[in-house]
Amino acid sequence: MDLILNQRQELGLVMTFQLRQAIELLQFSTYDLYQYIKEQEIENPLIELKEQTKDIVYTEQTNRKSLSSSPTSDMLDFIKNDEISMRQKLCEQVRLHFKEKDQQLLLYLVQNLDDSGYLRLDDSAIYDENTVKRGIHLLQEIGPIGIGARSLVECLQLQLTYNYPDQLLAKAIIDNHLDLIANRKWNDIVRVMKISLEKVKEIYEFIQTLNPKPCIHLADFKVEYVVPDIVVELKEGKLIHYLNESYLPKISLNKDYSSLLNVKDETSHYISNQFSKYKWLINSIEQRRVTILKIMKVLLEKQASFFKEGFSSLKPLTLKDVATEIDMHESTVSRATMNKIIQTPHGTFDIRMLFTSKLETVDGNSISQTEVKQLLENIIKKENKCKPLSDQKIADYFITEKGITISRRTITKYREELNIPSSSLRKEI
Protein backbone atom coordinates (compact mmCIF):
# COMPACT_ATOMS: atom_id res chain seq x y z
CA MET A 1 0.00 0.00 0.00
CA ASP A 2 1.42 3.37 -1.06
CA LEU A 3 1.10 6.45 1.10
CA ILE A 4 0.02 9.44 -0.96
CA LEU A 5 -0.08 13.07 0.19
CA ASN A 6 -2.91 15.04 -1.48
CA GLN A 7 -3.74 18.72 -1.27
CA ARG A 8 -7.21 20.08 -1.97
CA GLN A 9 -9.06 23.32 -1.50
CA GLU A 10 -12.45 23.46 0.25
CA LEU A 11 -14.86 26.26 1.02
CA GLY A 12 -16.63 26.03 4.36
CA LEU A 13 -18.42 28.22 6.89
CA VAL A 14 -16.87 28.30 10.35
CA MET A 15 -18.69 30.00 13.22
CA THR A 16 -16.15 31.94 15.25
CA PHE A 17 -16.39 32.44 18.98
CA GLN A 18 -17.23 36.12 18.43
CA LEU A 19 -20.05 35.21 16.03
CA ARG A 20 -21.53 32.75 18.50
CA GLN A 21 -21.41 35.41 21.19
CA ALA A 22 -23.05 37.98 18.90
CA ILE A 23 -25.91 35.54 18.19
CA GLU A 24 -26.28 34.89 21.91
CA LEU A 25 -26.29 38.62 22.61
CA LEU A 26 -29.14 39.12 20.13
CA GLN A 27 -31.27 36.62 22.05
CA PHE A 28 -30.74 38.29 25.43
CA SER A 29 -33.51 40.22 27.12
CA THR A 30 -32.47 43.68 28.30
CA TYR A 31 -32.05 42.38 31.84
CA ASP A 32 -29.90 39.47 30.63
CA LEU A 33 -27.84 41.96 28.63
CA TYR A 34 -27.35 44.03 31.78
CA GLN A 35 -26.02 40.98 33.62
CA TYR A 36 -23.75 40.10 30.69
CA ILE A 37 -22.26 43.61 30.58
CA LYS A 38 -21.52 43.41 34.32
CA GLU A 39 -19.73 40.09 33.76
CA GLN A 40 -17.67 41.61 30.96
CA GLU A 41 -16.57 44.41 33.27
CA ILE A 42 -15.16 41.83 35.68
CA GLU A 43 -13.35 39.90 32.94
CA ASN A 44 -12.04 42.85 30.91
CA PRO A 45 -9.99 45.55 32.71
CA LEU A 46 -10.46 47.94 29.76
CA ILE A 47 -14.22 48.11 30.29
CA GLU A 48 -15.42 50.85 32.59
CA LEU A 49 -19.10 51.14 33.44
CA LYS A 50 -21.06 54.15 34.58
CA GLU A 51 -24.51 53.46 35.96
CA GLN A 52 -27.35 55.46 34.45
CA THR A 53 -29.71 57.52 36.60
CA LYS A 54 -32.71 57.61 34.24
CA ASP A 55 -36.07 56.11 35.12
CA ILE A 56 -36.80 52.45 34.54
CA VAL A 57 -40.23 51.25 33.42
CA TYR A 58 -41.48 48.33 35.51
CA THR A 59 -44.63 46.36 34.86
CA GLU A 60 -46.61 44.53 37.52
CA GLN A 61 -47.06 41.06 36.11
CA THR A 62 -50.23 40.23 38.03
CA ASN A 63 -52.44 42.97 36.59
CA ARG A 64 -50.14 44.52 34.02
CA LYS A 65 -50.27 48.03 35.47
CA SER A 66 -47.05 49.90 34.79
CA LEU A 67 -45.14 52.18 37.08
CA SER A 68 -41.95 54.17 36.89
CA SER A 69 -39.23 54.26 39.47
CA SER A 70 -35.69 55.48 39.69
CA PRO A 71 -33.15 52.64 40.01
CA THR A 72 -31.73 54.31 43.11
CA SER A 73 -34.98 55.27 44.87
CA ASP A 74 -37.58 53.25 46.76
CA MET A 75 -36.02 49.91 45.86
CA LEU A 76 -37.38 48.61 49.17
CA ASP A 77 -40.79 48.58 47.47
CA PHE A 78 -39.61 45.53 45.50
CA ILE A 79 -38.39 43.56 48.54
CA LYS A 80 -40.74 40.86 49.79
CA ASN A 81 -42.44 41.93 53.01
CA ASP A 82 -42.81 39.85 56.15
CA GLU A 83 -46.57 39.37 55.89
CA ILE A 84 -47.71 36.21 57.66
CA SER A 85 -48.86 33.51 55.25
CA MET A 86 -52.19 31.73 55.60
CA ARG A 87 -50.40 28.52 56.57
CA GLN A 88 -48.69 30.34 59.45
CA LYS A 89 -52.02 31.80 60.54
CA LEU A 90 -53.54 28.32 60.62
CA CYS A 91 -50.67 27.11 62.79
CA GLU A 92 -51.28 30.00 65.19
CA GLN A 93 -54.97 29.13 65.33
CA VAL A 94 -54.10 25.52 66.13
CA ARG A 95 -51.94 26.61 69.09
CA LEU A 96 -54.64 28.98 70.36
CA HIS A 97 -57.74 26.80 70.07
CA PHE A 98 -56.62 23.21 70.73
CA LYS A 99 -55.13 21.33 73.59
CA GLU A 100 -51.55 20.16 73.41
CA LYS A 101 -52.49 16.55 72.63
CA ASP A 102 -54.24 17.62 69.39
CA GLN A 103 -51.77 20.32 68.37
CA GLN A 104 -49.13 17.88 67.11
CA LEU A 105 -51.67 16.11 64.85
CA LEU A 106 -53.16 19.34 63.45
CA LEU A 107 -49.79 21.01 62.85
CA TYR A 108 -48.72 17.88 60.97
CA LEU A 109 -51.85 18.06 58.79
CA VAL A 110 -51.47 21.80 58.13
CA GLN A 111 -47.87 21.33 57.00
CA ASN A 112 -49.03 18.65 54.55
CA LEU A 113 -51.71 20.78 52.87
CA ASP A 114 -51.06 21.66 49.24
CA ASP A 115 -51.53 25.16 47.80
CA SER A 116 -55.30 24.59 47.37
CA GLY A 117 -55.84 23.33 50.91
CA TYR A 118 -56.04 19.63 50.04
CA LEU A 119 -54.31 17.16 52.33
CA ARG A 120 -51.53 15.20 50.60
CA LEU A 121 -50.24 12.27 52.65
CA ASP A 122 -48.08 9.46 51.30
CA ASP A 123 -47.62 5.90 52.54
CA SER A 124 -45.18 7.11 55.20
CA ALA A 125 -47.88 9.02 57.12
CA ILE A 126 -47.37 8.68 60.86
CA TYR A 127 -51.08 8.63 61.73
CA ASP A 128 -53.71 6.00 60.97
CA GLU A 129 -56.85 6.63 58.89
CA ASN A 130 -59.21 7.23 61.84
CA THR A 131 -56.84 9.73 63.46
CA VAL A 132 -56.43 11.61 60.17
CA LYS A 133 -60.21 11.80 59.71
CA ARG A 134 -60.60 13.17 63.25
CA GLY A 135 -57.91 15.76 62.51
CA ILE A 136 -59.65 16.82 59.28
CA HIS A 137 -62.89 17.47 61.15
CA LEU A 138 -61.00 19.48 63.78
CA LEU A 139 -59.50 21.61 60.99
CA GLN A 140 -62.99 22.68 59.94
CA GLU A 141 -63.22 24.65 63.21
CA ILE A 142 -60.38 27.02 62.27
CA GLY A 143 -60.25 27.03 58.49
CA PRO A 144 -62.60 27.36 55.53
CA ILE A 145 -65.03 24.47 55.39
CA GLY A 146 -63.51 21.82 53.13
CA ILE A 147 -59.90 22.40 54.18
CA GLY A 148 -57.87 19.22 54.59
CA ALA A 149 -59.97 17.16 52.18
CA ARG A 150 -58.08 14.45 50.31
CA SER A 151 -60.25 14.56 47.20
CA LEU A 152 -62.84 16.74 45.50
CA VAL A 153 -65.62 14.42 46.68
CA GLU A 154 -64.47 14.68 50.31
CA CYS A 155 -64.14 18.46 49.99
CA LEU A 156 -67.75 18.80 48.80
CA GLN A 157 -68.93 16.29 51.41
CA LEU A 158 -67.41 18.38 54.20
CA GLN A 159 -69.19 21.50 52.93
CA LEU A 160 -72.52 19.64 52.83
CA THR A 161 -72.00 18.15 56.30
CA TYR A 162 -71.22 21.45 58.00
CA ASN A 163 -73.19 23.98 55.93
CA TYR A 164 -76.01 22.12 54.14
CA PRO A 165 -76.92 18.96 56.11
CA ASP A 166 -80.44 18.94 54.62
CA GLN A 167 -79.25 18.56 51.00
CA LEU A 168 -79.61 14.77 50.95
CA LEU A 169 -80.10 14.40 47.17
CA ALA A 170 -77.04 16.54 46.46
CA LYS A 171 -75.06 14.41 48.93
CA ALA A 172 -76.17 11.19 47.21
CA ILE A 173 -75.15 12.51 43.78
CA ILE A 174 -71.78 13.76 45.06
CA ASP A 175 -71.11 10.46 46.84
CA ASN A 176 -72.02 8.21 43.92
CA HIS A 177 -72.47 10.09 40.63
CA LEU A 178 -70.19 13.13 40.58
CA ASP A 179 -68.66 11.83 37.33
CA LEU A 180 -72.10 12.04 35.67
CA ILE A 181 -72.44 15.65 36.82
CA ALA A 182 -68.93 16.47 35.53
CA ASN A 183 -69.75 14.95 32.13
CA ARG A 184 -73.24 16.50 32.09
CA LYS A 185 -75.00 13.20 31.63
CA TRP A 186 -78.36 14.64 32.66
CA ASN A 187 -80.55 11.82 31.39
CA ASP A 188 -78.35 9.20 33.07
CA ILE A 189 -78.77 11.02 36.40
CA VAL A 190 -82.55 11.13 35.88
CA ARG A 191 -82.60 7.38 35.23
CA VAL A 192 -80.27 6.40 38.10
CA MET A 193 -81.64 8.77 40.75
CA LYS A 194 -85.28 8.50 39.57
CA ILE A 195 -85.83 12.24 39.77
CA SER A 196 -87.06 14.82 37.27
CA LEU A 197 -84.84 16.79 34.91
CA GLU A 198 -85.92 19.99 36.68
CA LYS A 199 -84.67 18.56 39.99
CA VAL A 200 -81.37 17.58 38.38
CA LYS A 201 -80.94 21.16 37.18
CA GLU A 202 -81.70 22.49 40.66
CA ILE A 203 -79.15 20.17 42.28
CA TYR A 204 -76.54 20.94 39.62
CA GLU A 205 -76.92 24.69 40.17
CA PHE A 206 -76.60 24.14 43.94
CA ILE A 207 -73.43 22.06 43.54
CA GLN A 208 -72.02 24.87 41.39
CA THR A 209 -72.22 27.15 44.46
CA LEU A 210 -69.87 24.88 46.45
CA ASN A 211 -66.17 25.73 46.50
CA PRO A 212 -63.87 23.05 45.03
CA LYS A 213 -60.81 24.93 46.35
CA PRO A 214 -61.79 26.49 49.67
CA CYS A 215 -58.22 27.35 50.58
CA ILE A 216 -56.93 28.64 47.24
CA HIS A 217 -54.78 31.36 48.88
CA LEU A 218 -52.84 28.98 51.12
CA ALA A 219 -49.77 29.50 48.95
CA ASP A 220 -47.69 32.62 49.53
CA PHE A 221 -48.86 35.31 47.12
CA LYS A 222 -46.44 37.86 45.81
CA VAL A 223 -46.54 40.49 43.14
CA GLU A 224 -43.89 39.99 40.49
CA TYR A 225 -42.50 42.81 38.39
CA VAL A 226 -40.99 42.51 34.95
CA VAL A 227 -38.91 45.01 33.06
CA PRO A 228 -40.25 45.27 29.48
CA ASP A 229 -37.60 45.35 26.77
CA ILE A 230 -39.69 47.53 24.44
CA VAL A 231 -42.33 50.13 25.27
CA VAL A 232 -45.03 51.28 22.83
CA GLU A 233 -47.20 54.25 23.80
CA LEU A 234 -50.13 55.97 22.13
CA LYS A 235 -49.85 59.73 22.52
CA GLU A 236 -52.23 62.14 20.81
CA GLY A 237 -53.20 59.45 18.32
CA LYS A 238 -49.60 58.67 17.38
CA LEU A 239 -47.63 55.54 18.23
CA ILE A 240 -44.20 56.03 19.73
CA HIS A 241 -41.79 53.29 20.71
CA TYR A 242 -38.45 52.99 22.43
CA LEU A 243 -36.17 50.39 23.97
CA ASN A 244 -36.40 50.31 27.73
CA GLU A 245 -32.63 50.26 28.18
CA SER A 246 -32.12 53.44 30.19
CA TYR A 247 -30.81 51.40 33.12
CA LEU A 248 -28.07 49.77 31.04
CA PRO A 249 -24.70 51.14 32.20
CA LYS A 250 -22.70 53.36 29.87
CA ILE A 251 -19.66 51.47 28.56
CA SER A 252 -16.42 53.41 28.19
CA LEU A 253 -12.71 52.66 27.84
CA ASN A 254 -10.61 52.61 30.98
CA LYS A 255 -7.97 55.23 30.14
CA ASP A 256 -5.52 53.86 32.71
CA TYR A 257 -4.68 51.07 30.26
CA SER A 258 -4.83 52.97 26.96
CA SER A 259 -1.12 53.91 27.13
CA LEU A 260 -0.18 50.22 27.06
CA LEU A 261 -1.77 49.62 23.67
CA ASN A 262 1.28 50.90 21.77
CA VAL A 263 3.90 49.11 23.87
CA LYS A 264 5.37 46.03 22.15
CA ASP A 265 5.54 43.40 24.87
CA GLU A 266 3.47 40.58 26.36
CA THR A 267 1.31 43.01 28.31
CA SER A 268 0.53 44.91 25.13
CA HIS A 269 -0.61 41.69 23.44
CA TYR A 270 -3.02 40.99 26.31
CA ILE A 271 -4.29 44.59 26.32
CA SER A 272 -4.80 44.51 22.53
CA ASN A 273 -6.95 41.37 22.84
CA GLN A 274 -9.03 42.97 25.57
CA PHE A 275 -9.38 46.12 23.48
CA SER A 276 -10.70 44.03 20.59
CA LYS A 277 -13.27 42.48 22.94
CA TYR A 278 -14.23 45.93 24.17
CA LYS A 279 -14.87 47.13 20.60
CA TRP A 280 -16.74 43.91 19.78
CA LEU A 281 -19.02 44.43 22.79
CA ILE A 282 -19.81 48.03 21.81
CA ASN A 283 -20.52 47.07 18.18
CA SER A 284 -22.59 44.02 19.08
CA ILE A 285 -24.81 45.94 21.49
CA GLU A 286 -25.39 48.65 18.89
CA GLN A 287 -26.13 46.04 16.20
CA ARG A 288 -28.63 44.36 18.56
CA ARG A 289 -30.29 47.71 19.19
CA VAL A 290 -30.52 48.58 15.48
CA THR A 291 -31.96 45.14 14.62
CA ILE A 292 -34.68 45.33 17.28
CA LEU A 293 -35.64 48.87 16.22
CA LYS A 294 -35.89 47.78 12.58
CA ILE A 295 -38.23 44.95 13.60
CA MET A 296 -40.29 47.31 15.75
CA LYS A 297 -40.68 49.74 12.87
CA VAL A 298 -42.24 46.99 10.74
CA LEU A 299 -44.44 45.83 13.63
CA LEU A 300 -45.78 49.33 14.16
CA GLU A 301 -46.59 49.64 10.47
CA LYS A 302 -48.15 46.19 10.06
CA GLN A 303 -49.90 45.98 13.44
CA ALA A 304 -50.87 49.64 13.93
CA SER A 305 -54.54 48.68 14.36
CA PHE A 306 -53.62 46.27 17.15
CA PHE A 307 -51.69 48.88 19.14
CA LYS A 308 -54.71 51.20 18.89
CA GLU A 309 -57.62 48.78 19.20
CA GLY A 310 -56.36 45.53 20.76
CA PHE A 311 -56.10 41.85 19.86
CA SER A 312 -59.31 41.83 17.83
CA SER A 313 -57.45 43.88 15.19
CA LEU A 314 -54.28 41.77 15.07
CA LYS A 315 -53.26 41.15 11.45
CA PRO A 316 -51.59 38.03 10.01
CA LEU A 317 -47.82 38.46 10.26
CA THR A 318 -44.97 35.96 10.25
CA LEU A 319 -41.26 36.16 11.05
CA LYS A 320 -40.56 35.64 7.36
CA ASP A 321 -42.70 38.67 6.45
CA VAL A 322 -40.70 40.89 8.80
CA ALA A 323 -37.38 39.41 7.63
CA THR A 324 -38.27 40.26 4.03
CA GLU A 325 -39.19 43.84 4.98
CA ILE A 326 -35.89 44.56 6.73
CA ASP A 327 -33.76 42.44 4.35
CA MET A 328 -32.50 40.05 7.02
CA HIS A 329 -32.60 36.30 7.46
CA GLU A 330 -35.64 34.84 9.20
CA SER A 331 -33.41 33.23 11.85
CA THR A 332 -32.03 36.68 12.76
CA VAL A 333 -35.55 38.02 13.33
CA SER A 334 -36.37 34.90 15.35
CA ARG A 335 -33.36 35.42 17.63
CA ALA A 336 -33.95 39.15 17.98
CA THR A 337 -37.55 38.60 19.13
CA MET A 338 -36.66 35.76 21.51
CA ASN A 339 -37.08 36.48 25.25
CA LYS A 340 -38.38 40.01 24.59
CA ILE A 341 -41.24 41.56 26.56
CA ILE A 342 -43.21 44.41 24.99
CA GLN A 343 -45.38 46.86 26.91
CA THR A 344 -48.31 48.22 24.88
CA PRO A 345 -51.47 50.24 25.59
CA HIS A 346 -53.28 46.87 25.72
CA GLY A 347 -51.01 44.99 28.11
CA THR A 348 -47.55 43.54 28.55
CA PHE A 349 -46.64 40.23 26.91
CA ASP A 350 -44.10 38.32 24.86
CA ILE A 351 -43.43 40.10 21.57
CA ARG A 352 -43.95 36.77 19.74
CA MET A 353 -47.68 37.20 20.36
CA LEU A 354 -47.67 39.87 17.63
CA PHE A 355 -46.70 37.21 15.10
CA THR A 356 -49.63 35.09 14.02
CA SER A 357 -50.25 32.74 11.13
CA LYS A 358 -53.01 33.41 8.61
CA LEU A 359 -56.03 31.60 7.24
CA GLU A 360 -57.37 32.15 3.74
CA THR A 361 -60.87 33.46 3.06
CA VAL A 362 -63.01 32.63 0.03
CA ASP A 363 -62.52 36.12 -1.42
CA GLY A 364 -58.76 35.69 -1.53
CA ASN A 365 -57.98 37.75 1.59
CA SER A 366 -56.46 36.44 4.79
CA ILE A 367 -57.35 36.61 8.48
CA SER A 368 -55.09 36.15 11.50
CA GLN A 369 -55.22 33.10 13.73
CA THR A 370 -55.86 35.37 16.74
CA GLU A 371 -58.92 36.93 15.08
CA VAL A 372 -60.28 33.48 14.23
CA LYS A 373 -59.90 32.45 17.88
CA GLN A 374 -61.85 35.51 18.98
CA LEU A 375 -64.59 34.71 16.48
CA LEU A 376 -64.65 31.15 17.81
CA GLU A 377 -65.08 32.42 21.38
CA ASN A 378 -67.95 34.70 20.32
CA ILE A 379 -69.71 31.92 18.42
CA ILE A 380 -69.56 29.60 21.44
CA LYS A 381 -70.73 32.37 23.79
CA LYS A 382 -73.85 32.95 21.67
CA GLU A 383 -74.70 29.28 20.99
CA ASN A 384 -77.75 27.55 22.41
CA LYS A 385 -76.34 25.91 25.54
CA CYS A 386 -79.02 23.23 25.43
CA LYS A 387 -77.77 22.23 21.97
CA PRO A 388 -74.12 23.37 21.79
CA LEU A 389 -72.41 23.38 18.41
CA SER A 390 -70.04 20.56 17.53
CA ASP A 391 -66.59 21.39 16.12
CA GLN A 392 -67.75 20.30 12.66
CA LYS A 393 -70.78 22.60 12.78
CA ILE A 394 -68.55 25.51 13.86
CA ALA A 395 -66.17 24.77 10.97
CA ASP A 396 -69.15 24.74 8.57
CA TYR A 397 -70.37 28.04 10.03
CA PHE A 398 -66.97 29.65 9.43
CA ILE A 399 -67.05 28.56 5.78
CA THR A 400 -70.66 29.47 4.98
CA GLU A 401 -71.16 32.59 7.12
CA LYS A 402 -67.66 34.07 7.45
CA GLY A 403 -66.05 32.78 4.26
CA ILE A 404 -63.10 31.37 6.21
CA THR A 405 -61.73 28.01 5.10
CA ILE A 406 -60.97 26.02 8.23
CA SER A 407 -61.05 22.33 9.13
CA ARG A 408 -62.73 20.64 12.06
CA ARG A 409 -59.35 19.59 13.48
CA THR A 410 -58.19 23.20 13.47
CA ILE A 411 -61.36 24.24 15.33
CA THR A 412 -60.65 21.53 17.90
CA LYS A 413 -57.05 22.71 18.27
CA TYR A 414 -58.06 26.37 18.76
CA ARG A 415 -60.82 25.41 21.19
CA GLU A 416 -58.39 23.43 23.33
CA GLU A 417 -55.89 26.29 23.26
CA LEU A 418 -58.66 28.57 24.55
CA ASN A 419 -59.53 26.04 27.29
CA ILE A 420 -63.07 25.69 25.97
CA PRO A 421 -64.62 22.26 26.67
CA SER A 422 -66.18 20.10 23.96
CA SER A 423 -69.83 20.43 23.00
CA SER A 424 -70.86 17.54 25.27
CA LEU A 425 -69.31 19.26 28.28
CA ARG A 426 -70.93 22.60 27.39
CA LYS A 427 -74.42 21.16 27.35
CA GLU A 428 -76.80 22.58 29.91
CA ILE A 429 -80.27 21.52 30.99
Side-chain angles (χ1 to χ4, degrees):
M1 181 182 293
D2 296 331
L3 294 177
I4 301 173
L5 183 63
N6 290 328
Q7 184 178 8
R8 63 181 180 180
Q9 186 176 9
E10 290 183 347
L11 183 63
L13 179 64
V14 178
M15 183 177 289
T16 64
F17 176 72
Q18 287 80 6
L19 181 57
R20 284 198 299 271
Q21 280 190 315
I23 291 173
E24 192 175 321
L25 207 67
L26 194 59
Q27 298 174 169
F28 282 163
S29 66
T30 309
Y31 179 75
D32 291 334
L33 179 60
Y34 174 84
Q35 298 293 334
Y36 181 78
I37 292 172
K38 298 291 285 186
E39 292 172 6
Q40 293 303 301
E41 180 193 25
I42 297 172
E43 297 176 6
N44 192 339
L46 268 65
I47 293 178
E48 192 172 68
L49 301 182
K50 182 180 179 181
E51 296 292 341
Q52 303 278 26
T53 57
K54 296 180 181 179
D55 287 349
I56 312 172
V57 177
Y58 291 92
T59 296
E60 186 178 321
Q61 200 168 21
T62 53
N63 60 13
R64 293 180 176 176
K65 291 181 181 177
S66 62
L67 55 98
S68 295
S69 172
S70 168
T72 57
S73 65
D74 297 329
M75 290 307 291
L76 290 176
D77 292 341
F78 300 99
I79 298 176
K80 184 179 178 181
N81 60 29
D82 294 328
E83 185 179 349
I84 298 176
S85 68
M86 188 174 180
R87 195 184 302 272
Q88 290 172 312
K89 290 178 181 178
L90 286 172
C91 291
E92 289 181 0
Q93 292 295 314
V94 168
R95 296 186 180 96
L96 285 172
H97 290 86
F98 296 97
K99 295 180 180 179
E100 189 174 348
K101 65 176 183 178
D102 290 326
Q103 286 182 13
Q104 186 176 0
L105 166 64
L106 294 179
L107 290 174
Y108 173 78
L109 297 182
V110 169
Q111 294 303 327
N112 281 279
L113 297 176
D114 67 11
D115 291 345
S116 297
Y118 281 81
L119 183 62
R120 304 302 181 193
L121 296 176
D122 54 25
D123 295 335
S124 62
I126 61 177
Y127 294 100
D128 59 39
E129 174 68 14
N130 290 332
T131 305
V132 170
K133 280 187 177 180
R134 185 174 71 85
I136 291 172
H137 284 281
L138 290 176
L139 281 179
Q140 310 310 305
E141 298 178 23
I142 60 170
I145 301 301
I147 187 173
R150 290 162 292 181
S151 66
L152 175 60
V153 171
E154 188 175 13
C155 178
L156 300 179
Q157 286 172 341
L158 287 168
Q159 293 177 59
L160 290 177
T161 300
Y162 285 90
N163 293 336
Y164 308 99
D166 297 331
Q167 292 285 346
L168 300 180
L169 276 176
K171 185 178 186 304
I173 289 178
I174 289 173
D175 290 347
N176 304 300
H177 308 297
L178 192 60
D179 58 326
L180 296 179
I181 286 285
N183 293 311
R184 305 194 175 202
K185 303 290 186 180
W186 313 126
N187 293 327
D188 290 351
I189 298 172
V190 169
R191 178 176 50 80
V192 173
M193 296 295 297
K194 294 180 172 56
I195 55 178
S196 66
L197 197 59
E198 290 77 11
K199 193 64 178 178
V200 172
K201 182 179 181 180
E202 179 186 330
I203 293 171
Y204 170 72
E205 290 175 349
F206 165 73
I207 292 175
Q208 289 286 91
T209 65
L210 302 179
N211 191 350
K213 295 182 179 180
C215 216
I216 189 65
H217 297 305
L218 188 64
D220 294 337
F221 176 78
K222 61 180 181 180
V223 177
E224 295 184 354
Y225 294 88
V226 295
V227 182
D229 304 283
I230 306 144
V231 178
V232 178
E233 296 176 349
L234 184 61
K235 291 186 177 180
E236 299 178 355
K238 293 183 178 180
L239 292 169
I240 61 171
H241 71 286
Y242 56 90
L243 299 185
N244 185 30
E245 56 183 12
S246 57
Y247 66 95
L248 289 180
K250 184 179 179 181
I251 306 172
S252 58
L253 183 65
N254 190 332
K255 296 180 181 179
D256 295 338
Y257 293 92
S258 58
S259 59
L260 299 175
L261 288 170
N262 299 321
V263 180
K264 302 299 181 182
D265 57 15
E266 292 183 3
T267 303
S268 174
H269 179 69
Y270 169 76
I271 295 298
S272 295
N273 286 336
Q274 297 304 317
F275 181 68
S276 297
K277 292 180 181 179
Y278 160 79
K279 290 196 298 183
W280 170 86
L281 181 62
I282 296 291
N283 294 334
S284 296
I285 291 174
E286 180 59 23
Q287 184 60 44
R288 172 186 178 275
R289 182 176 180 277
V290 169
T291 302
I292 294 174
L293 287 175
K294 282 183 178 180
I295 293 170
M296 279 308 304
K297 184 180 178 182
V298 176
L299 286 176
L300 260 66
E301 291 174 355
K302 302 290 186 182
Q303 301 289 17
S305 56
F306 157 75
F307 290 111
K308 294 178 180 178
E309 301 169 15
F311 276 100
S312 60
S313 301
L314 196 63
K315 304 297 182 186
L317 187 67
T318 64
L319 294 172
K320 187 176 181 180
D321 295 335
V322 175
T324 303
E325 286 283 336
I326 62 176
D327 196 24
M328 287 185 177
H329 196 276
E330 186 178 346
S331 62
T332 303
V333 177
S334 176
R335 293 187 180 99
T337 54
M338 193 177 295
N339 307 315
K340 304 298 186 298
I341 302 296
I342 183 170
Q343 179 179 313
T344 75
H346 301 284
T348 302
F349 39 80
D350 193 312
I351 195 173
R352 292 291 186 94
M353 290 184 69
L354 298 181
F355 296 92
T356 175
S357 58
K358 59 185 177 181
L359 295 170
E360 299 297 330
T361 60
V362 292
D363 57 5
N365 295 321
S366 59
I367 185 172
S368 72
Q369 182 186 99
T370 304
E371 193 171 348
V372 171
K373 287 182 179 180
Q374 289 205 325
L375 286 172
L376 174 60
E377 279 187 301
N378 292 334
I379 290 169
I380 291 176
K381 278 181 183 178
K382 296 176 182 178
E383 71 183 356
N384 181 356
K385 296 302 179 183
C386 295
K387 294 181 179 180
L389 299 171
S390 67
D391 292 346
Q392 184 59 57
K393 286 183 178 179
I394 294 175
D396 294 340
Y397 176 84
F398 268 105
I399 295 171
T400 57
E401 300 296 328
K402 300 294 182 180
I404 301 170
T405 305
I406 190 169
S407 67
R408 180 195 59 79
R409 288 193 300 176
T410 304
I411 291 293
T412 304
K413 175 187 172 185
Y414 290 173
R415 179 177 53 73
E416 290 174 350
E417 288 176 358
L418 294 168
N419 293 319
I420 297 174
S422 63
S423 56
S424 61
L425 297 181
R426 300 198 305 271
K427 187 176 182 180
E428 295 181 0
I429 301 175

